[in-house]
Amino acid sequence: STANAPEDDAPSRYSRTERTTYSRYSRDANSSGSSLPSNSLEKRIEELERELAKERQDNARLMKIAQDKEELIGKLKEEIDLLNR
């Protein structure tokens, strides 16, 4: 049950982080006088944030699959022990 807890609060934690990151980079881009226009930087940041969100979803899905398999392994080990007795 403890393994589920990080996944459950992950969407809210990540979205808050992404908003903070986006705000920080937007300010930096506007004040730094970068060679790229701030509009291009904002589009790139949005693109990277979308990619990051997809990767986090994929990671959460893979973690759930791994957890399910671990639970199945535990149940099968118990069943093997019972059969051996």
Side-chain angles (χ1 to χ4, degrees), residues 46-60:
E46 289 173 6
E47 178 185 314
L48 291 171
E49 286 176 344
R50 282 192 298 272
E51 187 176 328
L52 180 61
K54 287 178 188 177
E55 292 296 328
R56 286 184 171 145
Q57 284 178 341
D58 193 36
N59 189 36

Side-chain angles (χ1 to χ4, degrees), residues 30-60:
N30 291 335
S31 64
S32 69
S34 174
S35 61
L36 289 175
S38 63
N39 194 26
S40 295
L41 290 174
E42 289 174 9
K43 286 180 182 180
R44 180 68 177 140
I45 289 168
E46 289 173 6
E47 178 185 314
L48 291 171
E49 286 176 344
R50 282 192 298 272
E51 187 176 328
L52 180 61
K54 287 178 188 177
E55 292 296 328
R56 286 184 171 145
Q57 284 178 341
D58 193 36
N59 189 36

Side-chain angles (χ1 to χ4, degrees), residues 12-30:
S12 63
R13 182 178 67 227
Y14 292 143
S15 62
R16 188 176 345 113
T17 301
E18 289 170 2
R19 284 195 304 270
T20 303
T21 303
Y22 178 75
S23 298
R24 184 181 72 226
Y25 284 122
S26 292
R27 283 194 307 270
D28 290 347
N30 291 335

Side-chain angles (χ1 to χ4, degrees), residues 49-85:
E49 286 176 344
R50 282 192 298 272
E51 187 176 328
L52 180 61
K54 287 178 188 177
E55 292 296 328
R56 286 184 171 145
Q57 284 178 341
D58 193 36
N59 189 36
R61 182 183 61 81
L62 292 172
M63 292 293 287
K64 176 72 171 127
I65 290 170
Q67 180 185 357
D68 291 347
K69 289 187 185 279
E70 288 295 324
E71 289 176 9
L72 179 59
I73 289 169
K75 289 176 184 176
L76 291 172
K77 284 181 180 179
E78 290 175 10
E79 189 173 336
I80 288 171
D81 289 342
L82 286 174
L83 290 171
N84 284 334
R85 292 181 196 159

